[in-house]
Amino acid sequence: MEKTQKTEPMIINKSLVIKTTCLWLALSLLATPMAAQEGSIIDLLSAYQLALKHDANFQAQRATHKAVLSGVPLAESKKGSTLRVQGNLNHTQSSRQSGNTPSQSDSSNGGSFSLQYSQPLINYANDRALDSAKGQATVGDLELKVAHQELMLKVAKLYFDTLAAQDNLELTNKEQSAITRHLELARERLSVGLGTTINLFEAEARLKLSEASQIGAVNKLNEAQLQLAQALGRNTPNLKPLGENAPIEAPNPKDQGHWLDQALKENLALRIARNRTALAKQQIGIAEAARLPSLSLSASLSRSTANGNATSLSTSGNFGINLSWPIYSGGAVPARVTESTHRYEAAQLQEEGIERSTALNTRTTYNDLMTNIRQVDAYEQAVRASGKALEAKQEGFKAGANSNLDVLDAQRDLFLARRDLLQSRYRYILNLLKLENLVGRTDATVIERINSWLER
C-alpha cells in the first residue's frame, strides 16, 4: 500500500499536465492565422476556382501565353504594306566677302515633305516566319492547358493533404482520449488492489507518446493550411470532407492499353514536344530562306521648297519594283542552317524521351491506381478486424486475461488502420486525377466529378 500511496500524487500531477497540454493545443489551433474561418466552407471546385484567380505561377503562365500569341500579328505585320511620312524645315544663313567689297549675307528658308509606300510581294523568309509564329501560338495554347492541369493536381493535392492532416489530428485526439480513459481505469484498478504500477507506467508512457504525436499533427495541419492558403490567395477555410460513399473503383475502361494509347495520342507534354520538333524543322527553312531573293513594290512622292533671293519649288514622284538577292553573306547562312539542323535533331531526341516517359508514367499511374483500390479494401477489413480485436482485449483486460499494454497496442493499431484507410482514399483520388491528366483531359469536369464525392 505504501507503494501505491507514493504513486498516487504523481498521477494527479500528470493529469493536470495533460489537461494543460490539451488546453494549450486547442488555443494554438484557434490562434493560428490560418485557422478556419467560422461559417466559411468550400469544396474542391471552389478551391480550384480561387486558385485560377490567385495562384502566382498560373497567372505568370497566362501572361506568357498572351505574349506568345502576340507573335502572330507581329509576324503578319512584316508581310503587310508600310507607309512613311517624312518632313523637315530649315533655315540657311551665309555671308561672303570678295576683296575690298563689303561682305554680303544671304539667308533662305526651306522645307521638304515626302510620302513613301512599300509592299512586299515575295519574301520567303517572312512567309516561313509567320508559319513559325503560328506554330509557337499552338505550343502556347498547349502550355496553358498544361498549366491548368498542373493547377488542378496542385490544388487537389493541397486540398486532400489538408484533409489528411485534419484526419490525423482528429484521430490523434481520439487516441489520446482513449488512452486517458484507460489511464484512469488503471488507476482505479490499482486503488482497489486489482492492478499494478506497471500498468500505470505503461499507460502514462503511451499517453506522452500520444501528446508528442498530437503536437506534430498540429504542426502538420498548420503547414498544410499555409500551403493551401498560398495557392488560394486567402486564409484556409473549412473544407468539405470526402464522403463515406465515394466510389473507389477501377477507371472506365479498365483496360490499361486503352489509357496508354490515349496518352500517346493526347498527352499534352507529348503534343508540345511534337510541335516543338515541327518548329525546329521550320527554323531550318527560315535559315535557308535568308539566301533567297525578295521582291517588293515601292512608291514615293516628295515636295521641297526654298525661299531666298529666288523662290524654288520642286515636286518628284517615284514608282518601282525592287529586287533583293543576298548572294553571299560571309558564310552566315550555311552556319545558321547547320545550327538549326542540330537543334532539330535535339528536338527529335527530346520528343522520343518524352514519349517514353509518358508511356512509363501512364503505366505506373494506372498500376498505382489499381493498387490503391486493393489497399482501400484491405484497410477497410483491417479497421473492422482491429475494432473487434480491441473489444476482445478490453474484455480480456477486465477479466485479467490481457495486460494493459495489450489494450493500448490494440487501440494504436485501430487508429493507425483508420488513418491509413483515409489516406489511401486520398491517394486513389490523386492518382485518378493524374491518370486523367496523362491522357490530356484538362476541362473542369474531372474536378467536378471528384467534387461530387465530397459530403453534401
Side-chain angles (χ1 to χ4, degrees), residues 114-238:
S114 66
L115 183 65
Q116 300 173 352
Y117 172 82
S118 177
Q119 172 63 56
L121 299 177
I122 299 175
N123 193 309
Y124 297 102
N126 289 345
D127 294 340
R128 296 177 184 180
L130 177 59
D131 293 338
S132 178
K134 292 179 178 179
Q136 291 284 0
T138 301
V139 171
D141 292 337
L142 294 174
E143 288 177 338
L144 184 61
K145 290 182 179 180
V146 169
H148 275 280
Q149 281 189 341
E150 292 176 346
L151 187 63
M152 283 184 190
L153 194 59
K154 175 183 177 180
V155 172
K157 187 177 185 306
L158 293 175
Y159 188 96
F160 290 113
D161 281 351
T162 303
L163 287 183
Q166 290 176 353
D167 294 338
N168 187 43
L169 179 58
E170 181 181 357
L171 291 173
T172 302
N173 291 336
K174 289 181 178 179
E175 182 183 17
Q176 188 178 92
S177 298
I179 296 174
T180 302
R181 289 194 301 269
H182 200 76
L183 177 62
E184 295 298 329
L185 177 61
R187 189 181 72 174
E188 292 174 3
R189 288 171 63 87
L190 181 61
S191 65
V192 297
L194 297 177
T196 65
T197 55
I198 295 178
N199 291 336
L200 289 174
F201 294 146
E202 289 174 347
E204 186 181 73
R206 192 61 61 90
L207 182 61
K208 289 303 178 183
L209 291 174
S210 178
E211 290 175 4
S213 298
Q214 187 184 51
I215 294 172
V218 171
N219 182 62
K220 287 184 178 180
L221 177 57
N222 286 337
E223 182 180 351
Q225 289 175 333
L226 284 169
Q227 292 179 352
L228 181 59
Q230 183 181 12
L232 303 188
R234 53 173 288 183
N235 291 345
T236 306
N238 298 319

Side-chain angles (χ1 to χ4, degrees), residues 367-384:
N367 292 335
D368 289 343
L369 188 65
M370 301 304 292
T371 300
N372 293 146
I373 296 173
R374 294 191 293 270
Q375 285 178 333
V376 169
D377 182 65
Y379 284 132
E380 287 176 346
Q381 297 181 34
V383 169
R384 289 192 292 267

Side-chain angles (χ1 to χ4, degrees), residues 86-92 108-114 301-308 310-316:
Q86 289 182 322
N88 68 79
L89 295 174
N90 57 76
H91 172 76
T92 304
S108 64
N109 297 316
S112 65
F113 169 84
S114 66
L301 175 66
S302 62
R303 183 183 181 93
S304 63
T305 181
N307 295 319
T311 301
S312 64
L313 178 65
S314 64
T315 303
S316 63

Side-chain angles (χ1 to χ4, degrees), residues 33-74:
M34 291 295 104
Q37 298 176 1
E38 183 178 358
S40 177
I41 303 177
I42 67 170
D43 53 18
L44 180 60
L45 181 60
S46 300
Y48 172 65
Q49 291 170 344
L50 284 172
L52 284 174
K53 298 178 181 178
H54 300 288
D55 186 78
N57 292 333
F58 179 75
Q59 293 300 324
Q61 183 60 49
R62 179 176 284 178
T64 301
H65 174 252
K66 293 178 180 178
V68 172
L69 294 185
S70 64
V72 176
L74 179 61

Side-chain angles (χ1 to χ4, degrees), residues 207-412:
L207 182 61
K208 289 303 178 183
L209 291 174
S210 178
E211 290 175 4
S213 298
Q214 187 184 51
I215 294 172
V218 171
N219 182 62
K220 287 184 178 180
L221 177 57
N222 286 337
E223 182 180 351
Q225 289 175 333
L226 284 169
Q227 292 179 352
L228 181 59
Q230 183 181 12
L232 303 188
R234 53 173 288 183
N235 291 345
T236 306
N238 298 319
L239 305 180
K240 284 188 177 182
L242 185 63
E244 293 292 334
N245 298 323
I248 309 297
E249 55 191 13
N252 185 26
K254 191 176 180 180
D255 179 31
Q256 186 186 80
H258 167 80
W259 294 93
L260 181 59
D261 292 340
Q262 285 295 111
L264 293 178
K265 292 178 183 177
E266 303 297 336
N267 181 267
L268 295 182
L270 186 54
R271 289 172 61 187
I272 289 174
R274 289 168 179 165
N275 278 274
R276 290 195 182 282
T277 301
L279 286 172
K281 189 174 183 179
Q282 287 179 347
Q283 291 300 316
I284 299 176
I286 293 175
E288 292 175 340
R291 63 163 63 100
L292 299 178
S294 62
L295 199 64
S296 63
L297 175 69
S298 65
S300 65
L301 175 66
S302 62
R303 183 183 181 93
S304 63
T305 181
N307 295 319
N309 294 332
T311 301
S312 64
L313 178 65
S314 64
T315 303
S316 63
N318 179 56
F319 178 82
I321 295 179
N322 304 319
L323 173 66
S324 176
W325 194 342
I327 302 299
Y328 181 71
S329 56
V333 172
R336 291 194 184 98
V337 171
T338 301
E339 178 189 9
S340 300
T341 301
H342 291 319
R343 293 188 182 278
Y344 173 59
E345 293 173 355
Q348 287 180 309
L349 294 173
Q350 289 174 350
E351 178 188 340
E352 182 180 351
I354 292 176
E355 182 175 346
R356 292 178 180 177
S357 63
T358 299
L360 176 61
N361 290 338
T362 303
R363 291 191 182 96
T364 302
T365 303
Y366 180 88
N367 292 335
D368 289 343
L369 188 65
M370 301 304 292
T371 300
N372 293 146
I373 296 173
R374 294 191 293 270
Q375 285 178 333
V376 169
D377 182 65
Y379 284 132
E380 287 176 346
Q381 297 181 34
V383 169
R384 289 192 292 267
S386 297
K388 293 179 180 179
L390 176 59
E391 292 177 1
K393 289 183 179 181
Q394 285 174 336
E395 294 296 328
F397 176 72
K398 293 177 183 179
N402 292 109
S403 67
N404 185 57
L405 185 60
D406 292 335
V407 178
L408 294 176
D409 287 341
Q411 287 178 345
R412 181 192 60 195

